Amino acid sequence: MVVDGGRDGGEWDGRWNHINMFLERPGPFTHPDFEPSTESLQFLLDTCKILVIGAGGLGCELLKDLALSGFRHIHVVDMDTIDVSNLNRQFLFRLKDVGRPKADIAADFINGRIPGCNVVPHFKKIQDFDESFYRQFHIIVCGLDSIIARRWMNGITLMSYGVLDPSSIIPLIDGGTEGFKGNARVIFPGMTACIDCTLELYPPQINFPMCTIASMPRLPEHCVEYVRMLLWPKEKPFGDGVGLDADDPEHIQWVYQKSQERAAEFSITGITYRLTQGENTHSAILNSACATEVFKIASSAYIPLNNYMVFNDVDGLYTYTFEAERKENCSACSQVPQDLYFSPSAKLQEVLDYLTENASLQMKSPAITATLEGKNKTLYLQTVASIEQRTRPNLSKSLKELGLLDGQELAVADVTTPQTVLFKLSFTS
Amino acid sequence: MAATKASKEQKYDRQLRLWGDHGQEELENAHVCLINSTASGTELLKNLVLPGIGSFTIVDGHKVSGEDVGNNFFLSNHSIGRNRAQAATELLQELNTDVSGNFVEESYKVTSSIKTFSCRVNNFWFYFHSTCLRLGSVLWNANVPFLVCRTYGLVGYMRLVVKEHTVIESHPDNALEDLRLDQPFAELKSHIQSYDLEGMGKKDHGHTPWIIIVAKYLEKWFSEHNSQLPKNYKEKEAFKQLIRQGILKNEKGTPEDEENFEEAIKNVNTALNPTKVISSGVDDIFNGEQCNDITSQTPAFWLMTRAVREFVQNDGSGNLPVRGSIPDMIADSEKFINLQNVYREKAMQDASVVSKHVEALLQSVGKVCGPYSCILRCCSLSSACSMDSADGEMVLYLMLRSVDRFYQQHSRYPGVYNYQVEEDISKLKLCVNSLLQEYSLNVNVKDDYIHEFCRYGAAEPHTVASFLGGSAAQEAIKIITRQFVPFNNTFIYNAMSQTTATFQL
């Protein structure tokens, strides 16, 4: 076999043999649009642009998978730096890289190991970019560990979808893991079920009732939550405005000690250092399924997953694949204003509670604005301290007192979505 | 920035939360062997090296080809022409300095003796590209787990071959609670008696654990129903009504908001499940040969099982030891903790009785095992498979066997070169038919699958190899750490439809 070994960045014989079977040959199970061609490979190598969100456990795997499937123009976004506890599965990082941005190191490693690959890193938050950045990609694939971030990405891809121009759809492939469970899904924004359509499938983070945390703890977990949610903001052990960092051993040590004290008060046993640290993620198998889908969509080689795969390997290996359905009145993709039904004497606080607690909305810190007397008025916003203070009194006022009318439109902004969500307020008697 | 000295605990923190320190210890004492460093193989090893497997050995006589580098993250184009085992070991070793990597620059031959690999360690895995019956039987007799994996086109395949594998910590996902409400033990009975629902104040009433509530109303029910549990839907509904009537009412007669009573009503269906009389699965284990003949060589698992059997027959009135855990529920801290302690102390009592039995069975053991254990007995590779339907993933399994048959006859796989695809279809079809005939399988394999498998040309696309390698590593870790339940015993992954299936063959 003729060999080109030794020349960096050069091609060599047989390099893409494993992939060419699927690009150059006709087959009985291919996508109806598929046409075997020797040019498909060139499209993958030279033109196709993929965006990977996250360079952690899933992201590292995704980058490797994509690079070895013929993709060369890959961008990766990640706002984190490398921690020692990442090294046991985020295999693009080494001890010497601790403290450096994940996106940068991941890109360097892949570009070095896979000649010709050009991964472009972005050490940024996904919210640092607007719709125009995202629109340049053919496919976006997420390796995130946060539902909020997922929903935000979901919203951005929906913005890029123009009703009049279906070719502008950017497929979103999403994978997630938690312990031994995981899922992979394919979303064609505006066409198939989006993240918010199936929000009820994501169990909301276990929120213990406040009264349990504050005065009636029973489990070690209640004690830890007490320290994290109530004691930390009160005592500010590491300074004003310093948030709890689950990767900082000094922070965890403080929480651990305080949790033990709390538990002792109520004769609760079982506080361990490990419990204090919380949930963990596991090695990624589903990333490969996601990458397979990217390949299928980019090459039209096969019909993509339709559209949700669940994976569990606690007992043997179990998967379940099904078609998640679009929700008619989905707050993200249905493009119809959401309905709100409240009595005019209801307090604004009740509306806020509904927005955060309702299983289909699960907002985190919604900001509510309305057009009153021709002017845009912020009724409540909590993410900016000064505005929060100014608008807090509104929470205890009734909707009627605030001047809201039946049929009024409310615009709600939240971290879970890049666009404001429109609600139509209808008064009940 | 100067990196702080990385303790192993910090590095392995996230995985320790899954399988604990003892699981990690098992992993670090294990030595695995990989035959053929294909993409699937190196992906599997990567997922063992990263969490800190003790050591690995790759056996491979092939030289690295351009094609190999194209789908394998652990081969670089600089290594084209070099021995594949050596090249892959270098890049895998680099992932984790705690792990010791070795290689053997030879193709595994059926005649090679296993003793040439210094296997002083008890776990010794083999991963093989294509089936090898004789290797399988050698390992079977040595009770060394053997995992056969391959990626063929868009199909992934795994087969677990091990004579016996016992799991004590299976961490079941949704085990039913062990509350003993149908036959409360003495301490639980007296604890229940210490409550007087009618006489308590409003605050206490609304913060009494639902277990107590159900127990109290069960007493009432027993007195009116001849000590029989509510059995059918109608009776359970009546029982729930009985509880509902116990909810305090305010001055106007409307019921108060007592969430603990709602919890009680909600949990009636499961709480009244009769304490499990020994299931047939456990029965089989209790009657197993190793359970009966205890010798000084008997492994820990069987010793403990026998001790538990003694408990069931002599001390537990036919029941297993109490589990000791209760779910969280609405209650004030004191009531909850006290109730929890009643169950916990009973569990500890039962456990100490079990350990006395163990002591009496020649060895003393400090640890206590929960009732979650299971045994996997797999069939050796040579046992014939008998299936009567061929749909979905089963067809893929048949196709994999067929392409191996093709290889035996033609010394190559079908459709590797473009010009072969067309003509190999009919040849492969012959292989399929002869396979079906040999095993007397009356199934119809559609021509589409035969065409598809020729189209694959024995390619090993990286994403499919990565899925399979990751899955295989997971199962390997389960076997090494003896936690969680491995698959039994044949697994197929279909990347076209993103579906999987597990068969016991």
Side-chain angles (χ1 to χ4, degrees):
Chain A
M1 200 182 263
V2 176
V3 146
D4 258 330
R7 234 201 325 181
D8 279 329
E11 286 300 322
W12 57 86
D13 261 11
R15 181 176 189 183
W16 303 112
N17 279 1
H18 292 283
I19 299 174
N20 272 330
M21 313 292 185
F22 303 97
L23 300 174
E24 292 179 1
R25 300 174 172 192
F29 298 120
T30 56
H31 195 285
D33 292 345
F34 175 68
E35 293 212 13
S37 149
T38 46
E39 280 158 30
S40 310
L41 180 62
Q42 288 314 119
F43 170 71
L44 296 185
L45 291 171
D46 301 334
T47 316
C48 195
K49 245 171 143 178
I50 310 286
L51 176 62
V52 176
I53 308 287
L58 286 160
C60 285
E61 300 274 351
L62 281 168
L63 289 171
K64 158 184 73 78
D65 290 345
L66 293 171
L68 288 172
S69 301
F71 297 98
R72 289 190 153 160
H73 297 283
I74 307 173
H75 286 235
V76 62
V77 176
D78 193 306
M79 63 182 190
D80 275 340
T81 54
I82 299 166
D83 178 78
V84 170
S85 67
N86 299 144
L87 299 179
N88 78 327
R89 69 205 179 292
Q90 297 172 26
F91 59 95
L92 301 177
F93 312 141
R94 300 287 176 271
L95 193 55
K96 61 176 173 44
D97 302 320
V98 172
R100 306 268 315 276
K102 289 188 180 183
D104 293 350
I105 304 295
D108 280 347
F109 197 114
I110 296 283
N111 294 340
R113 183 66 63 91
I114 319 281
C117 195
N118 182 23
V119 179
V120 176
H122 300 276
F123 176 37
K124 289 207 151 79
K125 299 206 287 283
I126 51 178
Q127 293 88 351
D128 291 338
F129 298 103
D130 65 20
E131 186 215 336
S132 58
F133 169 77
Y134 292 102
R135 221 184 292 155
Q136 62 176 304
F137 297 100
H138 289 93
I139 303 173
I140 299 179
V141 56
C142 294
L144 290 164
D145 58 3
S146 132
I147 295 180
I148 295 179
R150 266 192 189 87
R151 293 177 67 186
W152 197 91
M153 283 308 305
N154 186 55
I156 270 284
T157 55
L158 284 164
M159 282 173 79
S160 308
Y161 165 59
V163 179
L164 302 170
D165 182 12
S167 71
S168 68
I169 293 180
I170 301 178
L172 178 66
I173 312 214
D174 181 67
T177 64
E178 195 184 304
F180 280 81
K181 305 183 191 169
N183 64 274
R185 60 191 301 185
V186 173
I187 298 171
F188 286 93
M191 289 175 55
T192 61
C194 77
I195 302 269
D196 279 46
C197 287
T198 56
L199 204 52
E200 291 103 12
L201 286 181
Y202 289 103
Q205 319 292 349
I206 301 182
N207 290 318
F208 301 116
M210 216 10 118
C211 55
T212 305
I213 307 278
S215 51
M216 253 191 297
R218 296 175 297 269
L219 302 178
E221 287 86 345
H222 299 155
C223 303
V224 175
E225 278 308 291
Y226 169 82
V227 175
R228 294 219 300 233
M229 286 174 60
L230 297 176
L231 207 57
W232 180 286
K234 195 165 117 189
E235 297 197 7
K236 306 187 213 233
F238 291 87
D240 236 331
V242 176
L244 172 57
D245 178 4
D247 283 329
D248 186 334
E250 278 185 57
H251 289 202
I252 297 295
Q253 187 61 34
W254 187 88
V255 174
Y256 177 52
Q257 249 165 268
K258 293 293 176 184
S259 302
Q260 281 180 312
E261 285 168 27
R262 173 85 173 160
E265 259 185 76
F266 292 87
S267 312
I268 297 174
T269 55
I271 302 275
T272 58
Y273 189 81
R274 205 149 289 149
L275 183 75
T276 317
Q277 289 170 314
E279 271 298 346
N280 67 295
T281 50
H282 192 55
S283 79
I285 296 171
L286 285 161
N287 57 278
S288 321
C290 291
T292 301
E293 292 307 309
V294 175
F295 180 80
K296 283 185 197 168
I297 294 174
S299 64
S300 294
Y302 288 89
I303 299 173
L305 165 67
N306 183 21
N307 54 44
Y308 202 118
M309 177 194 194
V310 172
F311 177 92
N312 185 332
D313 66 347
V314 167
D315 185 341
L317 292 129
Y318 170 75
T319 62
Y320 173 61
T321 308
F322 68 101
E323 184 181 341
E325 285 177 3
R326 274 190 84 180
K327 199 148 85 153
E328 260 178 42
N329 60 340
C330 173
S331 57
C333 75
S334 67
Q335 300 182 320
V336 296
Q338 301 294 295
D339 285 317
L340 282 178
Y341 298 106
F342 284 95
S343 140
S345 58
K347 309 273 186 280
L348 186 64
Q349 178 72 56
E350 285 174 56
V351 178
L352 196 73
D353 290 341
Y354 174 78
L355 293 173
T356 51
E357 286 164 20
N358 179 275
S360 321
L361 294 173
Q362 290 187 48
M363 292 192 165
K364 295 299 158 200
S365 46
I368 311 174
T369 57
T371 307
L372 293 167
E373 289 158 6
K375 283 196 249 179
N376 207 16
K377 187 170 175 209
T378 304
L379 296 174
Y380 183 66
L381 187 151
Q382 49 187 268
T383 48
V384 178
S386 55
I387 305 182
E388 200 279 327
Q389 254 185 332
R390 182 169 57 77
T391 54
R392 202 185 308 155
N394 290 340
L395 290 177
S396 39
K397 293 196 183 142
S398 75
L399 303 180
K400 190 167 167 211
E401 272 181 86
L402 291 167
L404 297 173
L405 305 167
D406 188 29
Q408 173 106 41
E409 224 173 49
L410 298 177
V412 180
D414 186 51
V415 291
T416 51
T417 164
Q419 297 190 82
T420 48
V421 184
L422 290 177
F423 287 86
K424 181 161 160 246
L425 176 64
S426 299
F427 282 153
T428 57
S429 46
Chain B
M1 163 184 152
T4 48
K5 188 173 103 161
S7 65
K8 264 200 214 163
E9 262 218 16
Q10 253 188 313
K11 180 160 86 163
Y12 297 137
D13 165 71
R14 296 297 194 271
Q15 71 207 41
L16 288 173
R17 298 185 203 177
L18 276 178
W19 53 71
D21 296 313
H22 47 294
Q24 186 65 27
E25 209 183 304
E26 298 274 14
L27 198 61
E28 291 179 16
N29 286 331
H31 182 169
V32 307
C33 174
L34 169 69
I35 300 186
N36 287 338
S37 40
T38 58
S40 313
T42 53
E43 288 298 306
L44 185 162
L45 275 189
K46 153 178 147 284
N47 289 314
L48 292 178
V49 169
L50 285 172
I53 193 103
S55 51
F56 67 88
T57 300
I58 303 183
V59 176
D60 195 348
H62 294 95
K63 300 236 182 295
V64 178
S65 70
E67 189 176 273
D68 290 335
V69 181
N71 76 343
N72 196 324
F73 193 74
F74 298 96
L75 294 174
S76 85
N77 55 313
H78 303 292
S79 59
I80 294 180
R82 286 175 54 205
N83 171 264
R84 202 165 63 170
Q86 182 181 30
T89 300
E90 275 165 30
L91 292 183
L92 281 165
Q93 170 77 82
E94 188 262 328
L95 286 173
N96 191 345
T97 48
D98 296 336
V99 176
S100 144
N102 314 284
F103 60 92
V104 175
E105 290 181 41
E106 279 165 30
S107 290
Y108 180 80
K109 293 202 185 22
V110 174
T111 49
S112 306
S113 159
I114 297 207
K115 294 190 191 66
T116 63
F117 311 123
S118 50
C119 53
R120 276 179 295 266
V121 195
N122 37 17
N123 297 310
F124 205 67
W125 280 80
F126 283 79
Y127 158 92
F128 205 82
H129 183 202
S130 46
T131 56
C132 176
L133 291 180
R134 224 174 304 177
L135 173 60
S137 70
V138 171
L139 296 175
W140 177 270
N141 291 321
N143 205 25
V144 173
F146 185 21
L147 187 62
V148 180
C149 322
R150 77 198 294 190
T151 297
Y152 196 96
L154 290 184
V155 178
Y157 160 82
M158 277 203 293
R159 175 66 184 260
L160 177 60
V161 187
V162 63
K163 195 152 75 170
E164 180 186 284
H165 175 71
T166 57
V167 179
I168 291 182
E169 294 173 78
S170 66
H171 304 283
D173 228 356
N174 54 0
L176 293 171
E177 301 287 347
D178 182 22
L179 300 176
R180 306 288 166 120
L181 284 171
D182 59 331
Q183 28 174 315
F185 45 90
E187 295 84 345
L188 180 59
K189 240 194 213 148
S190 66
H191 184 75
I192 294 169
Q193 256 155 31
S194 71
Y195 279 84
D196 173 17
L197 283 181
E198 271 90 40
M200 14 170 100
K202 184 168 154 198
K203 184 149 191 255
D204 282 331
H205 199 263
H207 288 97
T208 296
W210 69 256
I211 291 180
I212 301 288
I213 296 174
V214 172
K216 283 290 193 189
Y217 282 94
L218 198 58
E219 275 172 20
K220 249 199 202 133
W221 178 275
F222 274 171
S223 67
E224 293 164 15
H225 290 84
N226 205 17
S227 296
Q228 296 290 316
L229 282 174
K231 284 197 202 46
N232 50 39
Y233 176 78
K234 198 162 157 215
E235 291 188 346
K236 286 188 182 172
E237 287 301 304
F239 183 66
K240 288 182 191 175
Q241 257 311 104
L242 192 64
I243 297 179
R244 187 167 287 287
Q245 277 159 23
I247 297 181
L248 285 182
K249 297 186 176 49
N250 62 14
E251 320 83 50
K252 296 192 199 140
T254 42
E256 300 275 18
D257 191 11
E258 297 202 295
E259 273 187 72
N260 56 335
F261 272 76
E262 298 295 342
E263 271 189 341
I265 291 166
K266 204 168 75 161
N267 280 290
V268 158
N269 288 333
T270 46
L272 296 185
N273 282 339
T275 298
K276 262 218 164 228
V277 174
I278 305 294
S279 72
S280 68
V282 181
D283 219 16
D284 285 342
I285 299 179
F286 280 166
N287 290 326
E289 209 183 284
Q290 291 96 318
C291 199
N292 281 323
D293 308 322
I294 302 292
T295 69
S296 59
Q297 308 298 324
T298 304
F301 174 85
W302 288 108
L303 262 167
M304 287 204 264
T305 306
R306 172 63 178 271
V308 173
R309 191 180 89 181
E310 299 294 325
F311 176 94
V312 169
Q313 286 166 355
N314 302 320
D315 317 274
S317 322
N319 290 324
L320 290 167
V322 167
R323 189 182 310 163
S325 64
I326 57 174
D328 188 23
M329 59 192 74
I330 304 280
D332 63 52
S333 314
E334 199 184 319
K335 292 193 181 60
F336 180 82
I337 304 286
N338 288 340
L339 179 63
Q340 190 181 56
N341 285 340
V342 168
Y343 280 93
R344 274 194 185 159
E345 276 156 27
K346 177 67 174 157
M348 288 203 287
Q349 244 181 59
D350 286 356
S352 74
V353 173
V354 172
S355 21
K356 289 214 176 60
H357 283 298
V358 174
E359 278 175 40
L361 289 169
L362 307 172
Q363 278 183 37
S364 73
V365 160
K367 269 171 70 170
V368 170
C369 71
Y372 309 133
S373 43
C374 71
I375 298 181
L376 273 190
R377 285 212 178 89
C378 309
C379 312
S380 79
L381 258 184
S382 54
S383 69
C385 44
S386 55
M387 340 154 239
D388 33 42
S389 75
D391 61 68
E393 279 71 42
M394 189 45 99
V395 185
L396 301 178
Y397 176 74
L398 287 171
M399 289 310 307
L400 287 175
R401 298 284 294 253
S402 304
V403 296
D404 278 339
R405 193 161 280 228
F406 187 104
Y407 190 91
Q408 271 166 17
Q409 288 174 15
H410 304 275
S411 298
R412 62 175 178 85
Y413 284 106
V416 174
Y417 293 101
N418 284 344
Y419 73 85
Q420 292 171 329
V421 180
E422 218 33 74
E423 55 189 61
D424 281 350
I425 292 179
S426 46
K427 293 197 186 107
L428 183 57
K429 188 159 185 176
L430 288 173
C431 295
V432 173
N433 289 334
S434 80
L435 181 80
L436 295 176
Q437 238 174 21
E438 191 176 309
Y439 288 100
S440 314
L441 298 164
N442 187 17
V443 285
N444 177 39
V445 174
K446 288 206 286 240
D447 281 354
D448 280 347
Y449 287 101
I450 301 178
H451 181 181
E452 182 75 357
F453 271 70
C454 286
R455 176 173 185 248
Y456 287 161
E460 192 187 12
H462 180 83
T463 59
V464 186
S466 176
F467 187 101
L468 189 71
S471 305
Q474 249 327 95
E475 299 308 299
I477 290 177
K478 286 184 194 174
I479 299 219
I480 293 172
T481 59
R482 297 187 169 272
Q483 294 186 37
F484 304 94
V485 180
F487 75 107
N488 185 14
N489 54 23
T490 304
F491 172 80
I492 302 272
Y493 166 55
N494 180 347
M496 282 187 286
S497 57
Q498 299 288 15
T499 51
T500 66
T502 303
F503 308 111
Q504 193 166 353
L505 297 177

